[in-house]
C-alpha cells in the first residue's frame, strides 16, 4: 500500500472486534538473523461482534512459515495474505486454536518497532502497532489476552531472558549451550504491552513490600559495566511506588518489576506490563555523566511508566483515539509525584514552559488536533504534546473544577469500575459525574476542540462603592478542520491583590466558587466583588488553572506589584514574564522604543528579589530566565523574522546581565556547594540559580563571563556545572570557546549520552557558521543516523535553533528535509518527528515562508514515503 493510499481511520467508525483472543502462548527462539516465533492463539467469536465474520489478523513485513487451525495445517485456499495481514475467510464459529510460525531478522530491523537488536540486546517496542511485526494478531488495544511466553537463546549470547509477568520456569537445555525461560502474565493485556528482552546485562535489585503485603523483586537492567549508574532509577522506582500507594491507593500486582535500559529506542520509555523498556538516557545517571535535569527526568519518567500499571495497563484504552486517557492522565500523575518530591511551584512553572513551547505552538499551526483526535492515518504521529501535556492539563482542570475530594472519589470509582477493561473518555468522565454530582458534558468539549483559547480580562474599581468589577471573555481561533469554535469550560483561579498582599474575596455572583475559582463557560461574564478596601490588581489563572492565553489590561507597574505582593508563586513568575514578553514582542515587530526601559525595570525587580535572604534558589532561577525566542515568535504569530527576535532577546538579556553583573557574581559565590554532589531538589536549585546567573553575565559582560565559565568548568565535580559552563561559552565567540568545545568532546569521548548534549550545544549556536558545523559533526565518530538519541541531539538540536533552522537563504530547511528523506528509509518514526520541526512555518515572514513550503513540498513529493512522513507532510501543507 502506498502512503497516499493509507485509509483514514475515524472514531465514528469504531466497532468491537469480531473475534477475541483469550490466551496467547508464544515460543520464541532468539537468533540475530533467524528468530523463530511460534504463536498459539485461543480464539472465540466476540458476542458483541458480527457472527460469521472472517478473521482478519494484522501483519507487517511477515510471511507465515506454517498455519495450523486446531492443530491441522490450514489449506491455503482457506486464507489469503496481503501486506496488511492474514485473513481466514470462514473460521469456525466457536472457540478454536490457531498456531502460526514466522521467522524474523531482528538485526535488520532498523525501524526499531517489533522485535529488534540493540547493542547485541534483543528487545521489543510494540506500541502502537509493533506486535504485528512479530506475529499475526488482532493488534488493537481492545483485544486483551493472557500471555505465556517461552524464550530460548544461546547462554553466551543472551544469559538474561525477560518477558511480561512472573517467571514460572527456567533451565538449561541438553548440552548446556542453550537455555530457556517461561514467563506468565495473569493479567489480560493488549498486544501493544507485550515485551521481551534477551542479552548480556548487569542489574541492580531491591526487595519491596507493597502496602497490601505483596513481596516484589525490583530490578533495573543495564549494559555490562553500567550497574553503578542504575541506582537513582531504582531509588526513584521505590519512591514512586510508595507515593502511588499513599496518594492514589494503587498497589503493584506482580511478583517482579523489571526495568531495562537500551541504547537504541524511538521513544523515551515503554510501560510494558512488569517489564518497562527505557531509552538508556532515562535510566543511567552518575554525577559526572548526568545533569540535574537528567536526574529529574529519570525520576519523572520512571514514575510515569510505573504509574501506567494502573492508568494504561490494568485499565487500557478502547481504541487509539482514547490515547489521552492513558497518557494525559499518567502525565498528570507523574507531574503530581514530581511536585511532591521537589518544589510544587517550580515544577508547575517548568511544566507550563514546556506546554507553551511545545503544545501551544502545535495548537497554533497546521498540525493542531484535539486532545482526542477524530481521525488519523498514522497513529504514531499522535503521540504529541496535545495528547500528553494538554491531556494532563484537562485532568488538572477537572480537579480544580470539582474539588480535591470529589476528584479523589472519581479516581477511586474509575479504578474500581474499569479495572481489567479497555475504557473510553466517556466512561472516565462519568465516574466524576457520579462522584461530584456535576454535569460535565460541556467540560468534555476540551477533548473534542483543538486550539488554545484566549481569555481577555479587564477590571474597574469603584472607590465610592468599594467594589471591583471583573470582565472576562473567551475565544478560540480556528484550527484545521474546525473553523467554528464553541466556548469551553475554563476554571479561572483568582485573587485580588492589594499593597500588602491578597484581599478577601466577597461576591454574590454565582460564578465565584469555593477556593476563589470562577467558571468561565460562556463567551463572556462579569462579576462584582464587594467590600474591596482599595483598588486591587487582579491575579488570574493562579497556578495556571487552565491551558489558555491570558490578555490583561494591566500596565508594567501593576505587573511589578503582582511580582512583589501576589500570594501565588506562579503568578509572581508570570508577572515578570509578561513584562518581558510585551517588550520583546514589540521589538520583534520593529518597535524598540520600550526595550531599554524594560531592561531597567526588570533589572531593578531582579535586584530587589535576589537580595531577599529568604530567596528560594530554584524559584529564583525560573524568575531570571526570560521568555525564549521561540515563545516570542509564537506570540507574534505572523510575519515573524527570527533574526530580529533573536537580536532583541540578546539585547534585553545583555542589558540585564550588564546591570546586574556585580550582584550576580557575588550571588554565584555564595551558592557554591561545599559538599559532595547530590541530585536532591535543594542543591539542584542552588546550581540552577548559579548557572542561570552565569548565562546572564556571559551576555552582559562577555570577558567576565568567559573567565567565570572556564573556571567553573575546570573546578566542576559534576556534569551540570560543566554543561552550564559550556553553554555560557557558546554565547561568546572566539578561540576560548572552540578550545573548551574540543576539551569537552575529548573528556567525554567514550560517553555517548553526554556527547549527545555536546552535539546539541553546538547545534544551538545562533551563528551563521552553525550549519557547516553541524554537517561536519555528522562525520564525528560518535554520530550515527541509525541511533535516535544521536539524531535528536545533533539534528534535532539544529532544527530547534530558531535563527539557523530558519536561515533567510532556506538552507536550514533544505538540510532538515534531506535528513528526513534519508531517515525515512530506515526509521520513519524518527523521520516524521523531525519533520514536525516545520510545524510553525506559516507564521514566518514571506521570504522564509516560501522557502519552508518548498522544502515541505520536496519531502511530500518524494516517492515511496512511509505513512509516518507522508502524513506529517500532507497535514503541514494542507
Amino acid at each position: 500500500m502506498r502512503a497516499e493510499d493509507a485509509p483514514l481511520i475515524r472514531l465514528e467508525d469504531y466497532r468491537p472486534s469480531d473475534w477475541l483472543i483469550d490466551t496467547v502462548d508464544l515460543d520464541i527462539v532468539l537468533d540475530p538473523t533467524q528468530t523463530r516465533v511460534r504463536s498459539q492463539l485461543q480464539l472465540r467469536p466476540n458476542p458483541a461482534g458480527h457472527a460469521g465474520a472472517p478473521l482478519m489478523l494484522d501483519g507487517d513485513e511477515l510471511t507465515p512459515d506454517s498455519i495450523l487451525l486446531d492443530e491441522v495445517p490450514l489449506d491455503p485456499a482457506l486464507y489469503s495474505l496481503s501486506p496488511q495481514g492474514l485473513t481466514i475467510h470462514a473460521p469456525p464459529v466457536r472457540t478454536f486454536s490457531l498456531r502460526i510460525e514466522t521467522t524474523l531478522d531482528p538485526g535488520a530491523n532498523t525501524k526499531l518497532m517489533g522485535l529488534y537488536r540493540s547493542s547485541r540486546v534483543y528487545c521489543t517496542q510494540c506500541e502502537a502497532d509493533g506486535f504485528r511485526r512479530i506475529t499475526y494478531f488482532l493488534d488493537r488495544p481492545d483485544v486483551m489476552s493472557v500471555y505465556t511466553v517461552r524464550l530460548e537463546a544461546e547462554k553466551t549470547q543472551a544469559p538474561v531472558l525477560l518477558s511480561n509477568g512472573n517467571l514460572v520456569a527456567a533451565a538449561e537445555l541438553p548440552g548446556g549451550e542453550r537455555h530457556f525461560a517461561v514467563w506468565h502474565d495473569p493479567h489480560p493485556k493488549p498486544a501493544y504491552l507485550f515485551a521481551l528482552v534477551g542479552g548480556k546485562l548487569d542489574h541492580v535489585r531491591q526487595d519491596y513490600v507493597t502496602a497490601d503485603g505483596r513481596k516484589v523483586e525490583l530490578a533495573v537492567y543495564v549494559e555490562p559495566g553500567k550497574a553503578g549508574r542504575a541506582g537513582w532509577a531504582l531509588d526513584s522506582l521505590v519512591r514512586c511506588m510508595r507515593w502511588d500507594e499513599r496518594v492514589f491507593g494503587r498497589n503493584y500486582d506482580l511478583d517482579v518489576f523489571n526495568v531495562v535500559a537500551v541504547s537504541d529506542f524511538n521513544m523515551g520509555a515503554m510501560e510494558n506490563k512488569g517489564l518497562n523498556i527505557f531509552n538508556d538516557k532515562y535510566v543511567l545517571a552518575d554525577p559526572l555523566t548526568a545533569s540535574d535535569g537528567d536526574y529529574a527526568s529519570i525520576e519523572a519518567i520512571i514514575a510515569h511508566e510505573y504509574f501506567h500499571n494502573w492508568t494504561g495497563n490494568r485499565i487500557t484504552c478502547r481504541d487509539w483515539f482514547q490515547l489521552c486517557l492513558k497518557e494525559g492522565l499518567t502525565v498528570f500523575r507523574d507531574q503530581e509525584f514530581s511536585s511532591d518530591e521537589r518544589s510544587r511551584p517550580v515544577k508547575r512553572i517548568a511544566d507550563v514552559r514546556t506546554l507553551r513551547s511545545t503544545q501551544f505552538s502545535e495548537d497554533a499551526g497546521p498540525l493542531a488536533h484535539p486532545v482526542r483526535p477524530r481521525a488519523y492515518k498514522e497513529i504514531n504521529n499522535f503521540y504529541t504534546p496535545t495528547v500528553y501535556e494538554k491531556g494532563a492539563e484537562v485532568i488538572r482542570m477537572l480537579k480544580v473544577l470539582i474539588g480535591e475530594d470529589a476528584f479523589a472519589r472519581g479516581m477511586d470509582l474509575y479504578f474500581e469500575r474499569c479495572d481489567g477493561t479497555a475504557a473510553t473518555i466517556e466512561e472516565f468522565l462519568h465516574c466524576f459525574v457520579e462522584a461530584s454530582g456535576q454535569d460535565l458534558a460541556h467540560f468534555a468539549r476540551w477533548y473534542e476542540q483543538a486550539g488554545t483559547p484566549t481569555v481577555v480580562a479587564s477590571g474597574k474599581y469603584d472607590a465610592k462603592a468599594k467594589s471591583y468589577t471583573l470582565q472576562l471573555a473567551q475565544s478560540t481561533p480556528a484550527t484545521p478542520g474546525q473553523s467554528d469554535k464553541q466556548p469551553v469550560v475554563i476554571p479561572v483561579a483568582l485573587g485580588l491583590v492589594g499593597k500588602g498582599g491578597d484581599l478577601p474575596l466577597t461576591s454574590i455572583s454565582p460564578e465565584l466558587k469555593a477556593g476563589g475559582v470562577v467558571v468561565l463557560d460562556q463567551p463572556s461574564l462579569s462579576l462584582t466583588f464587594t467590600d474591596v478596601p482599595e483598588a486591587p490588581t487582579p491575579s488570574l489563572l493562579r497556578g495556571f488553572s487552565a491551558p489558555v492565553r491570558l490578555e490583561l489590561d494591566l500596565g508594567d507597574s501593576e505587573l511589578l506589584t503582582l511580582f512583589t505582593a501576589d500570594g501565588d508563586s506562579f503568578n509572581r513568575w508570570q508577572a515578570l514574564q509578561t513584562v518581558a514578553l510585551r517588550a520583546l514582542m514589540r521589538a520583534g515587530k520593529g518597535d524598540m522604543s520600550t526595550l531599554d526601559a524594560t531592561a531597567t525595570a526588570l533589572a531593578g525587580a531582579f535586584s530587589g528579589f535576589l537580595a531577599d535572604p529568604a530567596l528560594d534558589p530554584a524559584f529564583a532561577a525560573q524568575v531570571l530566565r526570560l521568555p525564549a525566542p521561540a515563545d516570542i515568535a509564537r506570540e507574534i504569530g505572523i510575519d515573524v523574522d527570527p533574526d530580529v527576535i533573536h537580536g532583541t532577546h540578546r539585547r534585553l538579556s545583555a542589558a540585564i546581565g550588564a546591570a546586574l553583573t556585580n550582584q550576580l557574581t557575588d550571588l554565584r559565590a555564595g551558592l557554591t556547594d561545599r559538599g559532595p554532589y547530590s541530585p536532591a531538589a535543594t542543591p539542584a536549585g542552588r546550581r540552577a540559580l548559579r548557572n542561570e546567573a552565569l548565562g546572564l553575565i556571559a551576555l552582559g559582560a562577555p570577558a567576565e563571563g568567559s573567565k567565570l565559565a572556564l573556571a567553573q568548568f575546570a573546578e566542576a565535580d559534576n556534569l551540570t556545572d560543566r554543561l552550564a559552563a559550556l553553554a555560557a561559552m557558546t554565547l561568546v565567540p572566539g578561540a576560548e570557546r572552540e578550545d573548551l568545545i574540543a576539551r569537552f568532546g575529548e573528556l567525554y569521548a567514550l560517553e555517548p549520552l553526554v556527547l549527545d548534549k555536546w552535539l546539541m550545544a553546538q547545534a544551538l549556536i545562533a551563528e551563521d557558521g552553525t550549519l557547516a558545523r553541524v554537517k561536519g559533526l555528522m562525520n564525528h565518530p560518535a554520530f550515527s543516523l541509525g541511533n535516535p538519541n544521536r539524531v535528536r541531539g545533533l539534528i534535532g538540536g539544529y532544527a530547534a535553533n530558531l535563527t539557523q533552522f530558519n536561515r533567510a537563504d532556506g538552507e536550514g530547511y533544505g538540510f532538515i528535509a534531506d535528513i528526513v528523506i534519508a531517515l525515512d528509509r530506515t526509521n520513519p518514526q524518527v523521520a516524521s518527528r523531525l519533520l514536525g520541526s516545520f510545524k510553525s512555518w506559516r507564521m514566518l515572514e514571506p521570504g522564509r515562508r516560501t522557502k519552508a513550503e518548498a522544502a515541505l513540498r520536496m519531502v511530500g513529493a518524494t516517492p515511496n514515503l512511509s505513512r509516518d512522513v507522508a502524513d506529517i507532510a500532507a497535514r503541514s501543507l494542507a
Side-chain angles (χ1 to χ4, degrees):
M1 179 186 295
R2 296 180 305 170
E4 58 268 30
D5 296 330
L8 186 66
I9 312 299
R10 302 178 187 275
L11 173 59
E12 55 264 35
D13 294 335
Y14 170 83
R15 63 182 181 87
S17 173
D18 295 320
W19 295 90
L20 299 176
I21 303 174
D22 291 325
T23 63
V24 179
D25 289 271
L26 294 175
D27 189 337
I28 302 176
V29 180
L30 295 170
D31 180 88
T33 60
Q34 293 284 314
T35 289
R36 190 205 71 199
V37 178
R38 180 180 294 159
S39 67
Q40 182 88 15
L41 313 179
Q42 196 73 11
L43 296 106
R44 61 183 169 90
N46 185 355
H50 292 159
L55 174 61
M56 303 172 66
L57 300 177
D58 299 299
D60 182 10
E61 297 185 4
L62 294 178
T63 300
D65 298 326
S66 64
I67 306 173
L68 281 74
L69 195 154
D70 286 338
E71 303 303 320
V72 176
L74 190 61
D75 186 337
L78 300 179
Y79 67 88
S80 58
L81 295 171
S82 74
Q84 288 75 49
L86 162 67
T87 299
I88 299 177
H89 303 296
V93 188
R94 55 170 173 77
T95 297
F96 65 94
S97 68
L98 189 65
R99 191 170 80 196
I100 304 174
E101 189 167 317
T102 54
T103 302
L104 310 177
D105 184 354
N109 184 359
T110 62
K111 293 182 179 180
L112 309 187
M113 285 291 290
L115 173 65
Y116 64 96
R117 206 160 181 242
S118 166
S119 300
R120 299 185 179 180
V121 175
Y122 298 96
C123 60
T124 53
Q125 171 57 35
C126 292
E127 186 176 358
D129 50 13
F131 192 72
R132 67 188 64 185
R133 294 176 58 79
I134 298 173
T135 187
Y136 293 98
F137 203 75
L138 294 172
D139 195 2
R140 46 188 290 170
D142 59 348
V143 174
M144 303 173 70
S145 314
V146 173
Y147 283 68
T148 302
V149 179
R150 180 187 181 275
L151 301 175
E152 180 184 325
E154 291 185 12
K155 287 178 61 179
T156 56
Q157 185 186 93
V160 174
L161 297 173
L162 305 172
S163 191
N164 310 91
N166 298 319
L167 181 65
V168 295
E172 287 186 357
L173 292 168
E177 295 182 355
R178 302 182 67 80
H179 70 140
F180 74 90
V182 179
W183 293 81
H184 176 71
D185 183 0
H187 300 279
K189 63 177 178 285
Y192 81 85
L193 292 172
F194 167 77
L196 72 80
V197 169
K200 291 181 179 180
L201 298 165
D202 288 347
H203 74 281
V204 295
R205 63 171 302 280
Q206 179 175 335
D207 289 334
Y208 180 88
V209 179
T210 64
D212 60 355
R214 177 188 289 271
K215 184 178 179 181
V216 183
E217 182 178 321
L218 310 178
V220 178
Y221 288 84
V222 296
E223 292 178 1
K226 296 182 178 179
R229 303 184 191 182
W232 179 253
L234 183 60
D235 179 72
S236 300
L237 176 59
V238 170
R239 286 185 283 115
C240 74
M241 292 177 77
R242 195 64 72 199
W243 182 89
D244 208 20
E245 292 169 353
R246 184 177 70 252
V247 176
F248 282 93
R250 299 300 99 197
N251 293 294
Y252 187 59
D253 51 8
L254 290 169
D255 299 335
V256 295
F257 187 91
N258 291 317
V259 170
V260 179
V262 297
S263 56
D264 298 291
F265 203 68
N266 282 342
M267 308 172 89
M270 180 61 209
E271 69 269 18
N272 317 296
K273 180 75 177 181
L275 178 57
N276 288 186
I277 300 179
F278 275 66
N279 187 319
D280 60 1
K281 70 181 290 186
Y282 297 119
V283 170
L284 301 176
D286 67 19
L288 290 175
T289 59
S291 68
D292 290 340
D294 293 327
Y295 276 94
S297 293
I298 290 168
E299 180 181 80
I301 296 172
I302 287 282
H304 180 93
E305 304 309 326
Y306 173 75
F307 294 154
H308 267 312
N309 187 58
W310 276 92
T311 50
N313 297 0
R314 290 281 291 257
I315 308 174
T316 191
C317 45
R318 185 195 71 177
D319 51 67
W320 291 119
F321 297 104
Q322 321 295 328
L323 181 60
C324 60
L325 179 58
K326 75 181 186 76
E327 294 301 347
L329 177 55
T330 306
V331 169
F332 168 77
R333 277 158 45 78
D334 81 54
Q335 289 175 348
E336 287 295 287
F337 167 71
S338 295
S339 295
D340 286 346
E341 290 291 300
R342 294 176 176 265
S343 163
R344 184 166 288 273
V346 171
K347 174 62 175 169
R348 189 65 183 135
I349 291 167
D351 289 340
V352 172
R353 281 190 188 275
T354 298
L355 179 80
R356 287 172 171 166
S357 66
T358 61
Q359 197 282 319
F360 277 24
S361 60
E362 185 169 77
D363 253 348
L367 300 181
H369 61 85
V371 174
R372 179 168 67 178
R374 304 293 301 185
Y376 64 80
K377 281 193 171 184
E378 176 49 67
I379 187 56
N380 287 316
N381 288 336
F382 284 90
Y383 286 75
T384 62
T386 296
V387 168
Y388 281 68
E389 276 70 34
K390 189 174 181 178
E393 293 299 318
V394 174
I395 303 296
R396 191 174 301 279
M397 280 192 294
L398 177 62
K399 184 177 181 180
V400 171
L401 191 66
I402 67 176
E404 288 190 12
D405 290 344
F407 182 80
R409 292 194 301 273
M411 286 301 307
D412 288 344
L413 184 58
Y414 176 61
F415 290 132
E416 175 186 348
R417 179 173 293 169
C418 296
D419 186 16
T421 71
T424 64
I425 294 298
E426 286 74 17
E427 290 168 319
F428 173 75
L429 287 178
H430 190 69
C431 294
F432 295 90
V433 170
E434 289 190 30
S436 68
Q438 295 190 31
D439 183 352
L440 297 176
H442 189 177
F443 177 80
R445 191 172 288 160
W446 278 102
Y447 286 102
E448 308 300 333
Q449 186 164 281
T452 302
T454 295
V455 172
V456 177
S458 60
K460 184 176 182 180
Y461 180 65
D462 186 329
K464 182 177 180 180
K466 295 189 181 305
S467 65
Y468 178 79
T469 299
L470 178 66
Q471 305 278 352
L472 298 174
Q474 65 162 297
S475 61
T476 303
T479 56
Q482 289 187 342
S483 57
D484 182 24
K485 301 293 187 178
Q486 300 299 314
V488 291
V489 175
I490 302 175
V492 181
L494 59 79
L496 299 179
V497 180
K499 296 184 179 66
D502 283 9
L503 302 172
L505 294 179
T506 305
S507 177
I508 60 172
S509 299
E511 292 85 1
L512 182 64
K513 310 298 181 185
V517 174
V518 171
V519 179
L520 175 63
D521 57 5
Q522 299 301 318
S524 62
L525 68 79
S526 174
L527 68 160
T528 299
F529 297 91
T530 57
D531 301 321
V532 183
E534 60 182 283
T537 302
S539 171
L540 304 179
L541 290 174
R542 286 185 154 183
F544 201 64
S545 58
V548 302
R549 295 178 65 257
L550 178 63
E551 294 183 2
L552 286 164
D553 67 341
L554 300 181
D556 286 358
S557 62
E558 293 168 297
L559 289 168
L560 291 172
T561 296
L562 285 180
F563 176 64
T564 58
D566 199 329
D568 182 71
S569 295
F570 180 88
N571 275 3
R572 289 186 67 198
W573 167 81
Q574 182 61 64
L576 289 194
Q577 291 285 300
T578 302
V579 171
L581 186 62
R582 285 176 175 175
L584 289 167
M585 287 176 63
R586 285 192 291 267
K589 296 175 183 178
D591 179 4
M592 304 288 183
S593 61
T594 64
L595 200 62
D596 292 340
T598 299
T600 301
L602 287 173
F606 288 153
S607 180
F609 169 67
L610 294 173
D612 184 352
L615 184 75
D616 173 5
F619 178 67
Q622 292 286 351
V623 169
L624 282 185
R625 191 176 308 159
L626 297 179
D631 295 326
I632 304 160
R634 182 192 66 246
E635 290 301 310
I636 292 175
I638 188 170
D639 290 338
V640 167
D641 186 328
D643 290 333
V644 173
I645 289 174
H646 173 73
T648 59
H649 187 273
R650 281 286 175 93
R651 176 174 163 181
L652 179 62
S653 299
I656 294 170
L660 298 179
T661 292
N662 292 336
Q663 185 177 5
L664 291 173
T665 301
D666 292 341
L667 176 71
R668 291 186 74 254
L671 290 168
T672 302
D673 288 326
R674 304 301 178 190
Y677 173 85
S678 167
T682 297
R686 292 167 61 85
R687 283 188 293 273
L689 179 55
R690 190 168 180 262
N691 291 326
E692 200 68 44
L694 178 61
L696 281 173
I697 295 171
L699 287 170
E704 179 66 15
S706 296
K707 175 184 172 183
L708 292 172
L710 292 171
Q712 175 166 306
F713 188 88
E715 298 166 5
D717 66 349
N718 62 84
L719 181 63
T720 302
D721 286 341
R722 286 178 178 169
L723 278 174
L726 179 65
M729 287 301 294
T730 63
L731 302 173
V732 186
E736 286 186 318
R737 176 180 77 182
E738 299 308 315
D739 178 64
L740 186 62
I741 288 173
R743 286 165 53 199
F744 192 105
E746 292 168 2
L747 183 63
Y748 287 104
L750 300 179
E751 297 292 343
L753 294 177
V754 182
L755 288 179
D756 289 340
K757 304 176 193 300
W758 176 74
L759 293 169
M760 180 173 284
Q762 296 177 77
L764 288 172
I765 294 174
E767 295 172 10
D768 290 343
T770 295
L771 180 56
R773 182 191 293 264
V774 169
K775 289 180 177 179
L777 286 168
M778 290 181 68
N779 296 316
H780 190 279
F783 181 77
S784 168
L785 272 178
N787 183 279
N789 285 346
R790 305 301 91 79
V791 173
R792 284 186 281 259
L794 182 62
I795 310 302
Y798 181 79
N801 186 327
L802 184 68
T803 64
Q804 299 311 298
F805 173 55
N806 295 292
R807 288 166 54 118
D809 61 7
E811 291 297 312
Y813 306 133
F815 172 67
I816 295 298
D818 287 341
I819 296 292
V820 166
I821 292 168
L823 267 176
D824 190 47
R825 303 184 190 109
T826 56
N827 194 325
Q829 285 192 26
V830 173
S832 67
R833 287 181 173 88
L834 183 60
L835 188 60
S837 305
F838 286 85
K839 65 183 178 183
S840 300
W841 71 274
R842 292 185 187 276
M843 73 180 184
L844 296 165
E845 52 80 21
R848 287 176 170 87
R849 190 161 64 235
T850 298
K851 292 178 175 65
E853 181 179 5
L856 277 168
R857 292 197 180 280
M858 180 186 75
V859 173
T862 301
N864 303 315
L865 284 177
S866 68
R867 282 204 320 253
D868 308 64
V869 168
D871 175 55
I872 294 294
R875 289 165 55 207
S876 297
L877 290 165

